[in-house]
């Protein structure tokens, strides 16, 4: 394309006509004409908000045959400096119709993903808060948990999560929740929002109605109908505090800084503190591992993702965030397509299914295709076949009673051939599966890779796990598979909060292992394993070593055996004689022990 054609294409993609902004694309307008006195340089595009505190944008275009090199960058940086005279935040875009380079003031922005040109909203958001304060969310969640558990009297772990999630959904849809409400007003505000404001979402996903049913069933041990004024005031204070905490969390999750942080995972780690034994069984995949699996399967914005045991939706939320980021942000047409047509989940447990629905709604999506089904069933298999899945990301329940391998097999049998499927399972799960079943699975599907995960990954569960990557519809044919062992993920245990990357080690560790898994080399743990021998990563055998001390001990044991000497009695006698029948002397350098010669009472041995 010529530079004029590139400029026209940029005008169409950026779509930056807006009220209160001076914006345009051309080659004749000078900075002087745009209000930058004395500057005769001519930008190819400009976006100048009337509010100087907002982000400005300058565009520099080149013909497609011109690479975006040093001299082109130098020209763009000069224009950025000109605009910095009036705007603290300036985004510079260098574009040749095929690729882009983006600069935040004078620094190149490394998060541009695919290198595509995006709409204006993507670039104006670059100077917003660039991270979510997860520590703050944990603090707020702890307050919510204590309030719901001790003050509201909601003892059930999942009911506390659902109650909080529904309040977050209501905030996301701008339900009227204000300080000073009594309980009935507060409860009805949430319920009315779920019943009315989500009507359009329910047309596509009828199962969302289950969320309102589960919310209505939650019972609490709180005297909300007391006629005592002090008691009523106490309830209103509790509700006001709860609303404030939920509002602050909602502001974080609805900001442009959100990158798929799984709020349900945060809730679970905190709410789990008061979990009863009867509430065990649900294990949430750590967020950094969901991101790692996304990367090693090379998921992209055009994939159709399935999690057939989706729990609260952590894999789907992370995939949605990454895919939307690659597509150019939440304001793009592609983002809407991803939400409506590219994310698929199955969950059997009624209350956890309700959590998954709430989780997707919290994260600005009510359209995700979620089904409450038994993932082992023929009905689930038929539903999976209709979705034209391209990638599978899953952490199926490990226990046999939940049908772990039935689920895995049902997924592999019903996704299209060549679909890559990643499952987190116990290290030896495949080897403990019956020979007939595993033979059948490998006759139909190929085990490609096994990545053994850190042994303390699932904090407090006591199970060591691996990621098993299959290619569906392709027989194993006795071909070896690649394995490696991520011994450490750099995370550390924080009291009452699970494991966290408090030292910032994970990004470098993740990059290393993504590279190792892609290249199938580059680490001394890498192995190629024959599936006829093993179906897991094999810990290396320690080499046999013998030391002189070992030889001497064995020889002495044999001599004492020949002479009928009891080694234990002899050792005790020797120690007693050394300690209590010897002369001990010491100086600055040595301690000397002198044994006395044997007397008439000495053992003749």
């Amino acid at each position: 394309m010529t530079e004029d054609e590139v400029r026209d294409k940029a005008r169409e993609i950026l779509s930056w006509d807006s009220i209160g902004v001076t914006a345009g694309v051309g080659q004749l307008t000078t900075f002087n004409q745009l209000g930058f006195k004395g500057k005769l340089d001519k930008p190819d595009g400009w976006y100048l908000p009337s509010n100087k505190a907002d982000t400005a944008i300058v565009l520099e275009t080149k013909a497609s045959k011109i690479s975006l090199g040093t001299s082109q960058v130098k020209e763009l940086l000069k224009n950025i400096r000109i605009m910095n005279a009036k705007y603290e935040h300036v985004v510079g875009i260098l574009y040749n119709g095929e690729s882009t380079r983006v600069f935040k003031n004078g620094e190149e922005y490394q998060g541009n993903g695919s290198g595509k040109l995006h709409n204006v909203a993507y670039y104006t958001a670059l100077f917003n808060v660039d991270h979510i304060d997860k520590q703050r969310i944990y603090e707020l969640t702890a307050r919510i948990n204590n309030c719901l558990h001790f003050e509201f009297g909601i003892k059930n772990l999942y009911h506390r999560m659902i109650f909080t999630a529904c309040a977050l959904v209501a905030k996301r849809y701008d339900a009227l929740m204000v300080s000073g409400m009594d309980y009935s007003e507060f409860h009805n505000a949430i319920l009315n929002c779920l019943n009315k404001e989500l009507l359009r979402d329910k047309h596509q996903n009828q199962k969302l109605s289950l969320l309102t049913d589960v919310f209505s069933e939650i019972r609490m041990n709180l005297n909300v109908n007391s006629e005592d004024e002090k008691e009523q005031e106490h309830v209103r204070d509790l509700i006001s505090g709860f609303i404030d905490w939920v509002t602050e969390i909602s502001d974080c999750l609805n900001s442009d800084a959100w990158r798929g942080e799984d709020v349900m995972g945060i809730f679970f780690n905190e709410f789990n503190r008061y979990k009863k034994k009867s509430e065990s069984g649900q294990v949430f995949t750590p967020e950094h591992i969901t991101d790692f699996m996304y990367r090693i399967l090379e998921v992209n914005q055009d994939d159709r993702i399935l999690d057939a045991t989706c729990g609260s939706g952590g894999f789907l939320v992370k995939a949605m965030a990454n895919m939307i980021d690659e597509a150019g942000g939440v304001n793009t047409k592609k983002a809407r397509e991803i939400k409506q047509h590219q994310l698929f989940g199955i969950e059997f447990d009624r209350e956890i299914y309700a959590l998954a629905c709430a989780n997707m709604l919290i994260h600005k999506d009510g359209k995700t295709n979620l089904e409450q089904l038994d993932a082992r069933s023929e009905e689930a298999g038929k539903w999976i076949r209709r979705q034209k899945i391209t990638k599978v990301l899953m952490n199926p329940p490990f226990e046999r009673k939940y049908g772990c391998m039935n689920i895995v097999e049902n997924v592999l049998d019903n996704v299209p051939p060549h679909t890559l499927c990643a499952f987190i399972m116990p290290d030896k799960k495949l080897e403990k599966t019956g020979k007939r079943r595993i033979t059948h699975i490998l006759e139909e599907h190929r085990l490609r890779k096994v990545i053994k995960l850190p042994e303390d990954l699932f904090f407090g569960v006591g199970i060591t796990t691996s990621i098993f990557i299959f290619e569906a519809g392709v027989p194993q044919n006795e071909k070896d598979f690649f394995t490696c062992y991520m011994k450490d993920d750099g995370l550390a245990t924080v009291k009452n909060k699970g494991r966290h990357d408090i030292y910032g080690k994970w990004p470098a560790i993740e990059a290393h292992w993504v590279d190792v898994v892609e290249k199938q080399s580059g680490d001394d743990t890498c192995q190629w394993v024959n599936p006829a021998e093993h179906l897991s990563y094999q810990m290396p055998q320690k080499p046999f070593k013998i030391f002189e001390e070992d030889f001497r001990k064995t020889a002495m044991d044999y001599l004492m055996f020949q002479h009928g000497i009891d080694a234990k009695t002899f050792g005790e006698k020797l120690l007693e004689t050394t300690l209590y029948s010897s002369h001990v002397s010491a100086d600055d350098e040595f301690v000397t022990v002198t044994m006395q010669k044997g007397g008439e009472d000495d053992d003749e041995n």
Side-chain angles (χ1 to χ4, degrees):
M1 288 187 289
T2 66
E3 185 171 349
D4 286 342
E5 291 172 330
V6 170
R7 197 178 294 111
D8 290 340
K9 182 178 179 181
R11 178 189 290 109
E12 180 180 350
I13 295 173
L14 288 165
S15 301
W16 57 20
D17 293 334
S18 182
I19 298 174
V21 174
T22 300
V25 174
Q27 60 179 152
L28 300 178
T29 304
T30 67
F31 277 114
N32 186 65
Q33 292 171 294
L34 294 171
F36 297 87
K37 190 174 180 179
K39 302 298 181 181
L40 301 180
D41 303 79
K42 298 176 181 178
D44 290 313
W46 55 93
Y47 180 90
L48 304 171
S50 56
N51 184 351
K52 299 301 188 291
D54 292 341
T55 298
I57 301 173
V58 61
L59 172 70
E60 186 67 32
T61 58
K62 300 296 175 186
S64 296
K65 65 181 181 180
I66 298 177
S67 61
L68 305 181
T70 303
S71 60
Q72 288 74 29
V73 169
K74 185 177 180 180
E75 184 177 359
L76 177 64
L77 291 177
K78 181 182 179 182
N79 290 342
I80 290 174
R81 287 193 295 272
I82 291 172
M83 292 176 65
N84 274 146
K86 291 189 175 184
Y87 294 91
E88 181 181 356
H89 295 150
V90 177
V91 173
I93 305 170
L94 188 57
Y95 180 56
N96 67 0
E98 297 175 355
S99 60
T100 62
R101 294 181 68 177
V102 179
F103 292 79
K104 293 173 61 177
N105 291 334
E107 297 293 327
E108 186 159 12
Y109 175 60
Q110 301 299 327
N112 196 39
S114 62
K116 294 180 179 179
L117 185 67
H118 303 301
N119 66 13
V120 65
Y122 176 87
Y123 299 106
T124 56
L126 292 185
F127 278 99
N128 293 349
V129 177
D130 60 2
H131 72 283
I132 287 177
D133 187 350
K134 292 178 69 175
Q135 179 63 33
R136 178 59 177 164
I137 294 179
Y138 262 106
E139 293 172 0
L140 295 169
T141 303
R143 295 179 187 178
I144 290 172
N145 190 28
N146 289 331
C147 179
L148 293 182
H149 187 265
F150 295 112
E151 300 286 354
F152 282 55
I154 304 177
K155 303 303 182 183
N156 182 285
L157 162 68
Y158 296 117
H159 286 182
R160 294 197 301 275
M161 292 178 68
I162 291 168
F163 191 89
T164 309
C166 287
L168 282 167
V169 172
K171 285 300 298 182
R172 179 255 188 268
Y173 282 88
D174 298 320
L176 182 62
M177 295 194 302
V178 295
S179 297
M181 280 182 159
D182 62 29
Y183 181 76
S184 61
E185 292 172 326
F186 171 65
H187 186 274
N188 288 335
I190 296 175
L191 194 59
N192 289 339
C193 175
L194 295 176
N195 280 322
K196 296 178 181 179
E197 299 298 331
L198 305 186
L199 187 60
R200 288 177 299 173
D201 292 336
K202 288 181 182 178
H203 284 320
Q204 179 162 340
N205 188 354
Q206 290 295 326
K207 294 294 182 68
L208 286 175
S209 61
L210 179 63
L211 182 59
T212 59
D213 295 340
V214 174
F215 177 76
S216 299
E217 294 166 5
I218 296 174
R219 296 292 177 262
M220 58 187 65
N221 185 23
L222 179 68
N223 190 5
V224 297
N225 297 316
S226 173
E227 295 182 1
D228 183 85
E229 182 59 34
K230 287 187 177 180
E231 184 67 24
Q232 291 179 11
E233 185 178 352
H234 176 63
V235 171
R236 286 194 293 269
D237 288 343
L238 290 176
I239 292 171
S240 295
F242 182 87
I243 290 172
D244 290 342
W245 302 328
V246 165
T247 299
E248 190 170 345
I249 293 176
S250 180
D251 289 344
C252 288
L253 300 178
N254 288 310
S255 74
D256 293 315
W258 176 73
R259 293 294 181 270
E261 291 86 355
D262 183 14
V263 67
M264 287 301 165
I266 295 175
F267 285 177
F268 184 79
N269 281 336
E270 171 57 36
F271 289 11
N272 201 34
R273 290 172 58 194
Y274 307 121
K275 184 179 71 172
K276 300 177 182 178
K277 290 183 178 179
S278 61
E279 295 171 318
S280 61
Q282 181 75 4
V283 178
F284 281 56
T285 311
E287 183 186 316
H288 68 298
I289 297 300
T290 63
D291 193 57
F292 175 66
M293 291 173 66
Y294 179 97
R295 293 185 63 184
I296 61 176
L297 249 62
E298 299 182 11
V299 180
N300 63 64
Q301 63 177 306
D302 296 319
D303 276 314
R304 298 168 67 85
I305 308 300
L306 170 69
D307 182 353
T309 53
C310 69
S312 69
F315 273 117
L316 298 177
V317 166
K318 177 58 70 174
M320 178 172 68
N322 288 345
M323 294 163 75
I324 287 174
D325 188 53
E326 181 185 342
V330 296
N331 298 310
T332 61
K333 179 180 178 182
K334 181 62 175 176
R336 293 190 293 273
E337 183 179 334
I338 290 167
K339 291 180 179 183
Q340 293 183 26
H341 305 299
Q342 294 178 227
L343 303 166
F344 303 88
I346 294 174
E347 176 54 46
F348 180 66
D349 186 276
R350 179 173 178 269
E351 291 183 343
I352 297 175
Y353 175 81
L355 271 179
C357 292
N359 200 10
M360 304 310 293
L361 290 165
I362 289 168
H363 293 100
K364 311 176 186 179
D365 172 38
K367 307 295 193 302
T368 297
N369 298 276
L370 300 176
E371 290 291 324
Q372 188 193 3
L373 295 169
D374 183 343
R376 301 168 294 183
S377 67
E378 182 178 351
E379 181 184 5
K382 291 179 179 178
W383 184 84
I384 291 170
R385 282 200 299 274
R386 294 196 297 270
Q387 312 312 324
K388 300 178 182 178
I389 302 300
T390 62
K391 298 282 172 61
V392 173
L393 299 166
M394 287 181 58
N395 179 10
F398 300 155
E399 296 90 342
R400 181 177 296 178
K401 66 179 179 179
Y402 294 121
C404 176
M405 290 309 300
N406 290 337
I407 294 170
V408 169
E409 190 171 3
N410 202 27
V411 169
L412 290 171
D413 287 346
N414 287 289
V415 295
H418 304 292
T419 300
L420 290 180
C421 305
F423 305 93
I424 296 180
M425 293 188 288
D427 292 334
K428 304 298 180 181
K429 190 66 178 179
L430 297 184
E431 290 166 327
K432 292 182 178 180
T433 299
K435 187 175 181 180
R436 180 180 298 180
R437 164 166 283 184
I438 199 63
T439 298
H440 170 72
I441 290 175
L442 296 181
E443 284 176 350
E444 302 290 333
H445 314 290
R446 181 173 176 181
L447 180 60
R448 286 280 185 180
K449 301 174 184 178
V450 175
I451 301 96
K452 179 172 169 56
L453 297 171
E455 301 210 341
D456 57 352
L457 178 68
F458 287 99
F459 178 73
V461 177
I463 298 175
T464 60
T465 57
S466 298
I467 300 170
F468 296 82
I469 300 178
F470 284 88
E471 182 180 0
V474 178
Q476 191 78 30
N477 289 337
E478 300 181 354
K479 293 181 180 178
D480 292 355
F481 61 91
F482 170 78
T483 73
C484 58
Y485 179 17
M486 182 196 297
K487 296 179 183 178
D488 183 26
D489 57 7
L491 274 64
T493 301
V494 179
K495 185 178 180 180
N496 294 329
K497 296 179 182 178
R499 302 176 69 249
H500 296 275
D501 187 23
I502 59 178
Y503 302 113
K505 296 180 179 180
W506 171 246
I509 292 173
E510 181 185 32
H512 168 75
W513 286 108
V514 168
D515 187 64
V516 168
V517 173
E518 179 184 0
K519 296 178 179 177
Q520 301 184 157
S521 63
D523 191 87
D524 59 8
T525 66
C526 293
Q527 304 173 356
W528 286 89
V529 178
N530 182 345
E533 298 175 356
H534 303 286
L535 292 169
S536 63
Y537 176 83
Q538 298 302 297
M539 297 294 287
Q541 293 283 343
K542 293 183 178 180
F544 177 76
K545 293 182 180 180
I546 187 168
F547 298 93
E548 185 176 353
E549 292 83 356
D550 298 318
F551 178 78
R552 287 179 178 176
K553 181 180 182 303
T554 302
M556 181 64 74
D557 288 344
Y558 180 67
L559 285 172
M560 287 192 291
F561 169 75
Q562 281 187 319
H563 289 81
I565 300 172
D566 181 87
K568 181 179 179 181
T569 303
F570 179 78
E572 292 173 350
K573 183 68 175 178
L574 179 62
L575 177 62
E576 181 180 342
T577 302
T578 302
L579 288 176
Y580 305 117
S581 303
S582 304
H583 176 70
V584 180
S585 60
D587 55 29
D588 291 339
E589 296 185 7
F590 301 101
V591 175
T592 304
V593 179
T594 305
M595 303 226 12
Q596 297 178 358
K597 292 183 178 180
E600 59 183 11
D601 293 332
D602 287 339
D603 192 310
E604 62 183 23
N605 290 324

